[in-house]
C-alpha cells in the first residue's frame, strides 16, 4: 500500500471512524461488519464499495487494518466527490473533502462538526439537517457523559478523546458560525462536543431518538460521538458531568435524559431561552459533589479546595480562572453552594466546547431567594441584591461593568456608592437612635430638634406618669395631680413645665411652690408637650435630664412677690385655685409687703413658713428677708438679731436693716400720731407705690400696732391680698427699687471684699517678712549661744 | 480618561500594562518605566513611618508636555500607574483617586482568584474590562 498522507482533519476524522468501527477494541482492526456498514452509509453503490475495499487492500488482508481503513475512507471521499477511484489519486488530491456517511438506524451522530468547520471547504458538506437538531440534541444528552478525561481510560492520543484539548479552540469558531447560520433559531450544525464520548455508551443508546429521516445525506460518520445541539436547551443543561467515578450515575442520567428528550424536542424552536439553566439532575449532582468537599451545604468551599477540584477537569488554568471570576459572586475567594454549581456548570459547558460567557448568565447567578426558581427569579434577585445585601451589590458590579463604559463619572459615582455601601453596611446599625417624632404638640414653642433617646429607670417611671397624663384631660392637669399624690412633685413639675412655655404661667407658679419648675430645660418641656399632645407612648422615651437643683434665681424680676407665693403656699398645695392662675407674677408694692410682712414676719417668727419658702422659691429670698427685715423692724424696732436670723445669707440686707431701722426710729415718733390714719393711708399707699420713706415708716408703725394682736394678722393678710391685687400694676416699680437696692448692696459688698482681700494679702506679706526676720534673729542667737555655754 | 494603565509588581516588573493603541505603545512603556523611579523615591521618602501611615495615593508623579503620570502604591508594594493625556480637560484629583480605587478593587478580585498565581501576568477578563472602561475611547 502506498503511503497515505492525510491532513490533520482527515487524520482525526479517520481515526475516530476507525475507533467507531473498532468494536472489538483491538485498535488495529476494524471489524468487517462495521466497516461495511460504514461504507454502505456512505451511500455509495455496492460495487463502488467493493471496489474500494479491494483497492484498499482489505480483500487481500481479509480485514481492515488501520491503513486499509484510512485508504478506504479516502477512496470513499473520492467517490463521493465524483472522482474516479484510483489509488494514485489518493495522495494527489489535495482538497479532498472528507467522506460523508449517512447513518442508518443507529443514531451515531457525527461529532466533529468542528472539524468540518475548520476545514476550508466546510461549505461543502454542511447540508443543513434542519431537524437533525432534535435528534442530535437528544442524543447529545445521552451521549454526553463528559467524564473528566483523567478518568477516561483512553490514553490513545489519536482517539477522539484527545480532541477535547484541541477542539475547544476550534469550537468557538464552529459555534459562532453556527450561530450565524442559525438565524432561525435552529442550529444547523451543532458545535462539536469535545467532551469525551465513550464508545461503550453508544451501544447503550436508547432508540427513541433514532434517525427517522433526520439525518441528511450529509451525516458524518456514525461515530459514537454525539453532537451537542445548542439550540434552546443547550447540551450543558443535559450534561451531567461525572468526575472520575460514576458510571452507574451515567446510566441513570441517561435514562433520565431520555425522558427529557421529547420535552426538548418541543422546546427546540423557542430559541435561546436559557441556555445555561441547570437541570435538577445536574443540580443534584453538583450538590453531591459539593458535599464531598464541604459537608455543610450552607458553608463555603475555600479557594484552594475549589482550585484542586476544578483543576481535575483539566481545563487550562486561564479558563478556570475565568470561570472562577464569573462564579465567585461575592468575590470572597470561596464558593457557596450556588457559586459552586455555577462554576461546575461552566466547567461542564466549557468541556463541551461552549464559550465562556463574558458575564455570568442569569440562571447561574446565586439565587438569593430559592434554589429552584425559574429564570424569572434572577431578575428580581439581582435587584434585590442591590437593596438587600451589600455583598450582592458587588457581583452586579462586575457583570455589568463591561456595559458601563461611556459614563465614566457616573460609573465612578455608582461604584463609589456601591463601595461605600458595602463598607458602610456594618456601620449602619451603629447609628444612634434619634427620636424622629419631633413635631411639638404646641406649635407655639416650635422647638424642633432631635432628642437622643435614653432610658433610665427613673424615666420609665416618668414615662408611666406621662402615659397616665396623656390619658387625662389636658385642661385639667390638676386632676392627675390629685390622682397621684405621691408623684405630685413630678406631676406638678410636668404641669409646670408644660404650662410654663404656654400661656398660663400662673399655674406654674401655683404648682411651683414646692419645687422649681422653671428650672426645667426647655427640651423637657418640649418632650412633655409631645407626650402631652398624646403622641404615641413609644415616643415617650426619656427625656430631660433631671432638673438642676434649686438655686438662687435673682434674675426673676417678675417673680411673684414673696407674699403672694407664701400666701398661696399657705393655701394647701393640693388645692389648685383657679383664681391663682389669673394672678400675674406681680410683686406687691413695698408698702404692702411691709404690711403683709407683718404677718409674714409673724410667721417667720414662728419659723415655719419662711424656711420652707426660702427653699422653694429662691427667687423670693432676696425680697423676703427685706420685707422680713422691715417687718422685724416694725414688730421689734430694735430687734436686730431676729432680722439676722431671718437673713443669714444676706448681709447687705442687714445693712439696710439698720438704715431702715434708723429711718424708722427717726420717723417713728413722727408718725405716732398718724397711726390712726394708717389704714386709710394704707389704701392710699397701695395706689402710690412710690411712697416716701416716712409713709412706709408710718405704715410700719401702724402695722406694729397691728402686729401685736396676732389675731388681726390673718384678716390683714386677706386685706393684703386685696391690696396686692389692686396694686398689681404699680408694683413693679417698687420691686425695681428693691432690686436696685439689693444690687447696690451687692456692689458695696464686693468692693469691701476686694479691699479686704488686698489688705489680707498685704498683711500676709508682712507676716512673711516678719517671720523671716525672726528666723534670722534666732539663727544669730544660736550662733552666739554656744559661746555662752562655754 | 487614561491613556495608559499599568500594574507593576513588587519586584518592578509589569503585571499588566495596557495603553491606547493609537500611539506608540513603546513610548508609554518607557514612560511607565521611568515613573517607577519617582514612585520609589516617594515611598522611600517616608522613611521611618510605617506603611500604614503612608498614603496609598501618590498623586502626580511628574508631568510632561503631553501627559501626566499618576501613581498609587498598595501595601504590598504593587504599583499602579496611570498616564493621562494633558490635553484632556484636566481630571480632578478625585477622579484619579477613584480610578485608582477601582483598579485596586479589581486587582484584589484578581488576587482572590485561587487560580491566579501572584506574579503571573494578569489575564483576567474582568480586570481587562474595568481597565478598558477607564481608558480613553480610541476613536
Amino acid at each position: 500500500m502506498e503511503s497515505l498522507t492525510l491532513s490533520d482533519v482527515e487524520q482525526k476524522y479517520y481515526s475516530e471512524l476507525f475507533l467507531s468501527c473498532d468494536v472489538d477494541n483491538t485498535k488495529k482492526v476494524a471489524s468487517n461488519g462495521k466497516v461495511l456498514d460504514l461504507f454502505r452509509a456512505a451511500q455509495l453503490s455496492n460495487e463502488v464499495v467493493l471496489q474500494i475495499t479491494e483497492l484498499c487492500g482489505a480483500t487481500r488482508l481479509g480485514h481492515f487494518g488501520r491503513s486499509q481503513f484510512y485508504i478506504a475512507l479516502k477512496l470513499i471521499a473520492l467517490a463521493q466527490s465524483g472522482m474516479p477511484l484510483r489509488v494514485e489519486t489518493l495522495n494527489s488530491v489535495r482538497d479532498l473533502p472528507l467522506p460523508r456517511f449517512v447513518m442508518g438506524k443507529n443514531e451515531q451522530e457525527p461529532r466533529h462538526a468542528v472539524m468540518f468547520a475548520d476545514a476550508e471547504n466546510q461549505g461543502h458538506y454542511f447540508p443543513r439537517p434542519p431537524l437533525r437538531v432534535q435528534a442530535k440534541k437528544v442524543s447529545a444528552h445521552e451521549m454526553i457523559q463528559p467524564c473528566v478525561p483523567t478518568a477516561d481510560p483512553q490514553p490513545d492520543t489519536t482517539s477522539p478523546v484527545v480532541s477535547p484539548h484541541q477542539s475547544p479552540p476550534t469550537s468557538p469558531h464552529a459555534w459562532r458560525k453556527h450561530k450565524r447560520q442559525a438565524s432561525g433559531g435552529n442550529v444547523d450544525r451543532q458545535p462539536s462536543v469535545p467532551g469525551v464520548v465513550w464508545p461503550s455508551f453508544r451501544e447503550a443508546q436508547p432508540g427513541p431518538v433514532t434517525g427517522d429521516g433526520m439525518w441528511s445525506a450529509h451525516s458524518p460518520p456514525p461515530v459514537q460521538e454525539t453532537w451537542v445541539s445548542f439550540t434552546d436547551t443547550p447540551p450543558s443543561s443535559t450534561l451531567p458531568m461525572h468526575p472520575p467515578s460514576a458510571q452507574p450515575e451515567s446510566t441513570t442520567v441517561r435514562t433520565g435524559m431520555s425522558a427529557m428528550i421529547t420535552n426538548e424536542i418541543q422546546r427546540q424552536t423557542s430559541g435561546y431561552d436559557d441556555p445555561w439553566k441547570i437541570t435538577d439532575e445536574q443540580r443534584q449532582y453538583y450538590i453531591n459533589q459539593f458535599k464531598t468537599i464541604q459537608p455543610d451545604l450552607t458553608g463555603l468551599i475555600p479557594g484552594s479546595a475549589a482550585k484542586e477540584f476544578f483543576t481535575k477537569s483539566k481545563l487550562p488554568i486561564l479558563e478556570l480562572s475565568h470561570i472562577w471570576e464569573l462564579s465567585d459572586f461575592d468575590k470572597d475567594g470561596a464558593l457557596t453552594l450556588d457559586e459552586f454549581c455555577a462554576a461546575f456548570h461552566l466547567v461542564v459547558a466549557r468541556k463541551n466546547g461552549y464559550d465562556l460567557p463574558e458575564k455570568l448568565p442569569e440562571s447561574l447567578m446565586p439565587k438569593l431567594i430559592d434554589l429552584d426558581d425559574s429564570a424569572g427569579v434572577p431578575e428580581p434577585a439581582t435587584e434585590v441584591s442591590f437593596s438587600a445585601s451589600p455583598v450582592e451589590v458587588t457581583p452586579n458590579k462586575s457583570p455589568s461593568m463591561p456595559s458601563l463604559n461611556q459614563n465614566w463619572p457616573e460609573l465612578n459615582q455608582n461604584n463609589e456608592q456601591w463601595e461605600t455601601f458595602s463598607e458602610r453596611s456594618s456601620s449602619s446599625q451603629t447609628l444612634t437612635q434619634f427620636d424622629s417624632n419631633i413635631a411639638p404638640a404646641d406649635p407655639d414653642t416650635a422647638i424642633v430638634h432631635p432628642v437622643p433617646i435614653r432610658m433610665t429607670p427613673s424615666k420609665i417611671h416618668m414615662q408611666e406618669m406621662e402615659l397616665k397624663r396623656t390619658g387625662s384631660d389636658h385642661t385639667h392637669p390638676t386632676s392627675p395631680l390629685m390622682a397621684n399624690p405621691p408623684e405630685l412633685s413630678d406631676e406638678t413639675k410636668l404641669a409646670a413645665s408644660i404650662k410654663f412655655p404656654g400661656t398660663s404661667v400662673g399655674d406654674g407658679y401655683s404648682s411651683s411652690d414646692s419645687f422649681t419648675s422653671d428650672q426645667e430645660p426647655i427640651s423637657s418641656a418640649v418632650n412633655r408637650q409631645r407626650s402631652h399632645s398624646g403622641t404615641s407612648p413609644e415616643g415617650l422615651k426619656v427625656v430631660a435630664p433631671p432638673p438642676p437643683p434649686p438655686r438662687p434665681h435673682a434674675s426673676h424680676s417678675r417673680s411673684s412677690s414673696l407674699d403672694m407665693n407664701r400666701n398661696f403656699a399657705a393655701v394647701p398645695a393640693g388645692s389648685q385655685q383657679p383664681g391663682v392662675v389669673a394672678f400675674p407674677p406681680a410683686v406687691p408694692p413695698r408698702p404692702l409687703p411691709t404690711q403683709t410682712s407683718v404677718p409674714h414676719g409673724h410667721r417667720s417668727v414662728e419659723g415655719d413658713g419662711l424656711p420652707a419658702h426660702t427653699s422653694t422659691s429662691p427667687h423670693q429670698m432676696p425680697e423676703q428677708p427685706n420685707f422680713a427685715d422691715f417687718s422685724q423692724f416694725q414688730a421689734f424696732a430694735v430687734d436686730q438679731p431676729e432680722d439676722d436670723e431671718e437673713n443669714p445669707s444676706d448681709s447687705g440686707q442687714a445693712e439696710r436693716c439698720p438704715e431702715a431701722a434708723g429711718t424708722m426710729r427717726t420717723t417713728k415718733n413722727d408718725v405716732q400720731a398718724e397711726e390712726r390714719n394708717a389704714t386709710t393711708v394704707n389704701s392710699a399707699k397701695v395706689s402710690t407705690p412710690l411712697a416716701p420713706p416716712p409713709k412706709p415708716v408710718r405704715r410700719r408703725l401702724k402695722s406694729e400696732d397691728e402686729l401685736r394682736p396676732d389675731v388681726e394678722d390673718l384678716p390683714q393678710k386677706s386685706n393684703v391680698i386685696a391690696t396686692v391685687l389692686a396694686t398689681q400694676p404699680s408694683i413693679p416699680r417698687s420691686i425695681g427699687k428693691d432690686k436696685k437696692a439689693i444690687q447696690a448692696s451687692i456692689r458695696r459688698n464686693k468692693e469691701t471684699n476686694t479691699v479686704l482681700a488686698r489688705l489680707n494679702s498685704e498683711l500676709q506679706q508682712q507676716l512673711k517678712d516678719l517671720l523671716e526676720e525672726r528666723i534670722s534673729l534666732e539663727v544669730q542667737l544660736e550662733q552666739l549661744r554656744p559661746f555662752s555655754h562655754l | 480618561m487614561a491613556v495608559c494603565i499599568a500594574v507593576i509588581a513588587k519586584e518592578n516588573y509589569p503585571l499588566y500594562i495596557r495603553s491606547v493603541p493609537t500611539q506608540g505603545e513603546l513610548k508609554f512603556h518607557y514612560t511607565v518605566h521611568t515613573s517607577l523611579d519617582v514612585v520609589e523615591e516617594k515611598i522611600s521618602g517616608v522613611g521611618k513611618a510605617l506603611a500604614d501611615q503612608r498614603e496609598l495615593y501618590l498623586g502626580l508623579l511628574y508631568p510632561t508636555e503631553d501627559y501626566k503620570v499618576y501613581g498609587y502604591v498598595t501595601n504590598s508594594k504593587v504599583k499602579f500607574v496611570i498616564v493621562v493625556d494633558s490635553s484632556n480637560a484636566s481630571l480632578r484629583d478625585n477622579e484619579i483617586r477613584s480610578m485608582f480605587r477601582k483598579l485596586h478593587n479589581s486587582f484584589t478580585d484578581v488576587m482572590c482568584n485561587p487560580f491566579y498565581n501572584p506574579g503571573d501576568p494578569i489575564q483576567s477578563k474582568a480586570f481587562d474590562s474595568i481597565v478598558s472602561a477607564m481608558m480613553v475611547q480610541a476613536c
Side-chain angles (χ1 to χ4, degrees):
Chain A
M1 285 273 118
E2 63 244 16
S3 61
L4 192 59
T5 57
L6 296 175
S7 64
D8 283 351
V9 176
E10 292 179 20
Q11 170 74 25
K12 272 187 270 176
Y13 187 42
Y14 292 172
S15 60
E16 288 174 25
L17 288 175
F18 186 78
L19 271 177
S20 71
C21 293
D22 192 5
V23 177
D24 297 335
N25 221 4
T26 60
K27 296 208 177 22
K28 289 232 183 79
V29 172
S31 72
N32 283 352
K34 281 283 169 215
V35 173
L36 289 173
D37 284 343
L38 188 66
F39 291 167
R40 265 181 242 115
Q43 293 179 335
L44 300 169
S45 60
N46 273 347
E47 58 249 19
V48 175
V49 171
L50 283 172
Q51 196 182 3
I52 288 171
T53 52
E54 192 183 3
L55 277 174
C56 70
T59 42
R60 266 187 294 117
L61 292 176
H63 61 271
F64 275 98
R66 188 174 281 273
S67 55
Q68 285 82 29
F69 188 71
Y70 287 1
I71 293 168
L73 287 176
K74 196 125 195 207
L75 289 171
I76 289 171
L78 277 175
Q80 285 177 339
S81 53
M83 293 203 229
L85 295 178
R86 292 279 180 276
V87 176
E88 304 79 29
T89 59
L90 279 179
N91 287 331
S92 57
V93 178
R94 282 289 144 219
D95 295 330
L96 189 64
L98 292 172
R100 302 183 296 267
F101 299 90
V102 176
M103 288 309 298
K105 291 291 175 124
N106 291 350
E107 40 192 298
Q108 294 172 356
E109 293 195 45
R111 170 173 166 225
H112 291 291
V114 169
M115 295 168 51
F116 296 163
D118 285 343
E120 307 78 16
N121 31 7
Q122 69 159 265
H124 286 261
Y125 37 88
F126 284 158
R128 305 152 171 217
L131 300 183
R132 179 149 19 135
V133 168
Q134 305 165 12
K136 298 218 173 118
K137 188 176 36 173
V138 169
S139 59
H141 308 172
E142 291 121 5
M143 294 307 297
I144 296 185
Q145 306 280 341
C147 71
V148 179
T150 53
D152 195 299
Q154 293 190 7
D156 194 351
T157 54
T158 63
S159 75
V161 180
V162 173
S163 54
H165 300 288
Q166 297 155 355
S167 51
T170 60
S171 63
H173 305 302
W175 191 32
R176 290 203 198 99
K177 286 186 189 126
H178 295 317
K179 280 183 7 178
R180 271 184 260 119
Q181 294 162 1
S183 53
N186 270 344
V187 173
D188 302 327
R189 212 49 179 185
Q190 298 79 355
S192 78
V193 179
V196 176
V197 181
W198 298 325
S200 59
F201 180 78
R202 175 172 53 104
E203 279 127 70
Q205 289 174 16
V209 180
T210 58
D212 49 283
M214 293 200 203
W215 305 66
S216 71
H218 156 86
S219 68
V223 183
Q224 67 275 26
E225 302 88 4
T226 61
W227 284 78
V228 176
S229 70
F230 194 81
T231 57
D232 45 355
T233 58
S236 60
S237 66
T238 66
L239 303 179
M241 187 154 171
H242 293 283
S245 52
Q247 280 282 359
E249 266 194 64
S250 69
T251 54
T252 59
V253 171
R254 256 179 274 143
T255 53
M257 291 306 165
S258 59
M260 292 172 2
I261 289 167
T262 49
N263 292 339
E264 287 166 2
I265 292 172
Q266 279 141 20
R267 279 165 51 195
Q268 168 215 329
T269 53
S270 54
Y272 270 41
D273 250 2
D274 192 1
W276 297 101
K277 196 162 163 61
I278 303 178
T279 64
D280 291 338
E281 288 86 354
Q282 287 173 324
R283 185 168 282 281
Q284 193 51 48
Y285 183 74
Y286 299 155
I287 291 173
N288 292 338
Q289 288 304 307
F290 186 91
K291 281 190 205 158
T292 62
I293 307 177
Q294 164 72 273
D296 177 19
L297 284 182
T298 60
L300 296 171
I301 292 185
S304 48
K307 177 178 179 175
E308 287 173 28
F309 182 80
F310 286 115
T311 311
K312 285 191 259 174
S313 72
K314 289 287 192 287
L315 282 181
I317 293 290
L318 184 59
E319 294 186 9
L320 289 173
S321 172
H322 188 59
I323 288 173
W324 176 276
E325 276 179 4
L326 291 176
S327 57
D328 187 7
F329 223 39
D330 44 11
K331 304 281 179 235
D332 59 355
L335 296 181
T336 65
L337 179 61
D338 275 336
E339 291 172 347
F340 178 83
C341 291
F344 213 147
H345 205 63
L346 286 169
V347 170
V348 165
R350 193 76 191 106
K351 291 211 69 61
N352 289 279
Y354 290 98
D355 256 358
L356 290 179
E358 289 300 317
K359 59 189 188 92
L360 194 65
E362 286 170 0
S363 55
L364 290 184
M365 282 188 182
K367 306 275 191 293
L368 299 178
I369 301 167
D370 197 0
L371 267 186
D372 301 324
D373 283 339
S374 60
V377 169
E379 290 296 341
T382 56
E383 287 155 24
V384 166
S385 70
F386 265 97
S387 56
S389 152
V391 169
E392 300 299 337
V393 170
T394 49
N396 283 311
K397 177 172 68 168
S398 52
S400 60
M401 198 59 85
S403 58
L404 297 174
N405 45 12
Q406 304 305 329
N407 308 328
W408 179 246
E410 179 189 350
L411 183 64
N412 279 346
Q413 211 173 347
N414 290 344
N415 280 342
E416 286 174 12
Q417 286 167 6
W418 286 333
E419 287 161 12
T420 55
F421 182 50
S422 60
E423 290 158 17
R424 241 195 290 126
S425 63
S426 59
S427 64
S428 60
Q429 291 92 16
T430 61
L431 288 175
T432 55
Q433 302 290 329
F434 281 101
D435 187 358
S436 56
N437 192 1
I438 295 174
D442 188 352
D444 292 347
T445 55
I447 297 170
V448 179
H449 61 280
V451 176
I453 298 170
R454 200 171 47 187
M455 294 293 293
T456 64
S458 62
K459 300 307 174 188
I460 296 173
H461 184 59
M462 288 194 14
Q463 218 180 343
E464 293 170 2
M465 294 188 319
E466 286 186 17
L467 284 173
K468 288 183 204 158
R469 157 177 289 285
T470 55
S472 66
D473 188 1
H474 295 191
T475 59
H476 293 292
T478 65
S479 54
L481 291 177
M482 297 181 75
N484 303 320
E487 298 109 12
L488 181 61
S489 61
D490 289 342
E491 282 289 359
T492 51
K493 205 185 300 187
L494 293 173
S497 58
I498 287 168
K499 297 295 183 196
F500 189 75
T503 56
S504 57
V505 182
D507 188 24
Y509 280 106
S510 66
S511 55
S512 66
D513 291 342
S514 56
F515 52 83
T516 60
S517 62
D518 50 334
Q519 305 297 340
E520 287 277 348
I522 300 291
S523 63
S524 69
V526 174
N527 294 329
R528 297 291 191 278
Q529 286 191 350
R530 272 191 276 125
S531 64
H532 201 61
S533 67
T535 55
S536 66
E538 301 84 281
L540 296 188
K541 307 234 175 86
V542 183
V543 169
R551 54 173 189 263
H553 198 57
S555 62
H556 208 300
S557 61
R558 286 179 61 81
S559 64
S560 60
S561 70
L562 78 123
D563 306 304
M564 286 184 61
N565 282 333
R566 287 175 62 189
N567 289 334
F568 300 149
V571 174
S575 68
Q576 301 298 319
Q577 298 168 1
V580 170
V581 179
F583 288 168
V587 181
R590 246 193 190 181
L592 287 173
T594 59
Q595 273 189 345
T596 57
S597 63
V598 172
H600 285 184
H602 176 71
R603 253 175 277 137
S604 63
V605 169
E606 294 169 357
D608 299 329
L610 189 54
H613 294 299
T614 51
S615 64
T616 57
S617 53
H619 58 275
Q620 300 155 2
M621 266 201 54
E623 297 164 275
Q624 259 183 353
N626 278 341
F627 300 121
D629 285 342
F630 293 128
S631 70
Q632 301 301 325
F633 272 111
Q634 291 171 12
F636 318 98
V638 227
D639 202 350
Q640 291 288 346
E642 284 199 29
D643 297 338
D644 292 337
E645 278 176 14
E646 302 305 328
N647 308 319
S649 59
D650 201 349
S651 61
Q653 290 169 355
E655 283 181 4
R656 256 184 301 158
C657 294
E659 295 170 20
T663 56
M664 284 174 67
R665 277 191 218 108
T666 54
T667 57
K668 186 172 180 177
N669 297 328
D670 296 339
V671 298
Q672 284 288 353
E674 293 173 356
E675 286 178 1
R676 301 294 171 255
N677 301 330
T679 50
T680 55
V681 171
N682 188 11
S683 54
K685 255 314 141 194
V686 171
S687 54
T688 61
L690 298 178
K695 282 194 182 171
V697 173
R698 247 181 283 134
R699 265 201 301 283
R700 281 184 220 123
L701 290 174
K702 171 200 175 278
S703 58
E704 248 182 48
D705 298 335
E706 291 168 357
L707 181 61
R708 288 204 181 102
D710 295 342
V711 182
E712 294 170 3
D713 289 343
L714 293 173
Q716 278 179 7
K717 186 177 75 166
S718 60
N719 289 339
V720 169
I721 293 171
T723 52
V724 167
L725 284 170
T727 59
Q728 282 167 7
S730 58
I731 287 172
R733 261 178 267 172
S734 59
I735 297 299
K737 264 191 169 176
D738 290 337
K739 190 176 168 194
K740 280 179 197 162
I742 293 164
Q743 284 172 352
S745 65
I746 289 170
R747 242 179 287 120
R748 276 193 297 270
N749 289 342
K750 282 185 183 165
E751 286 166 9
T752 50
N753 277 346
T754 51
V755 166
L756 288 171
R758 228 180 297 128
L759 185 62
N760 186 23
S761 60
E762 286 172 6
L763 289 171
Q764 291 280 344
Q765 191 60 40
Q766 281 184 357
L767 178 61
K768 274 186 221 163
D769 296 336
L770 287 171
L771 283 173
E772 283 176 14
E773 281 181 20
R774 183 179 164 221
I775 289 167
S776 61
L777 286 171
E778 285 183 2
V779 164
Q780 287 177 5
L781 182 63
E782 287 195 3
Q783 285 174 357
L784 293 170
R785 199 176 288 165
F787 294 106
S788 67
H789 279 140
L790 283 176
Chain B
M1 292 299 181
V3 174
C4 169
I5 292 178
V7 178
I8 290 124
K10 179 177 175 182
E11 294 83 10
N12 287 336
Y13 62 85
L15 293 175
Y16 181 89
I17 179 162
R18 168 104 78 88
S19 43
V20 170
T22 54
Q23 308 173 19
E25 302 198 17
L26 189 62
K27 185 178 77 162
F28 290 124
H29 287 221
Y30 176 70
T31 307
V32 169
H33 192 270
T34 52
S35 69
L36 286 179
D37 280 335
V38 186
V39 171
E40 284 289 334
E41 181 189 322
K42 283 196 186 265
I43 60 178
S44 68
V46 179
K48 315 175 270 259
L50 299 175
D52 25 304
Q53 295 180 14
R54 177 168 48 81
E55 183 166 326
L56 303 182
Y57 175 69
L58 301 176
L60 181 70
L61 296 178
Y62 70 95
T64 66
E65 57 185 274
D66 288 336
Y67 43 79
K68 306 193 195 90
V69 182
Y70 294 88
Y72 181 98
V73 155
T74 70
N75 284 326
S76 55
K77 296 282 197 304
V78 174
K79 297 136 189 127
F80 299 100
V81 176
I82 291 182
V83 180
V84 175
D85 199 352
S86 288
S87 59
N88 198 353
S90 61
L91 298 173
R92 290 196 320 269
D93 196 49
N94 274 349
E95 295 174 16
I96 305 283
R97 280 181 193 264
S98 69
M99 283 163 76
F100 275 124
R101 206 175 317 129
K102 287 168 61 71
L103 269 180
H104 197 172
N105 285 336
S106 314
F107 180 72
T108 311
D109 291 343
V110 168
M111 282 291 149
C112 279
N113 190 335
F115 298 101
Y116 172 77
N117 297 318
D120 290 350
I122 295 175
Q123 283 157 332
S124 151
K125 291 190 194 153
F127 191 81
D128 279 346
S129 62
I130 288 175
V131 169
S132 309
M134 288 195 215
M135 304 268 278
V136 172
Q137 305 308 314
C139 28

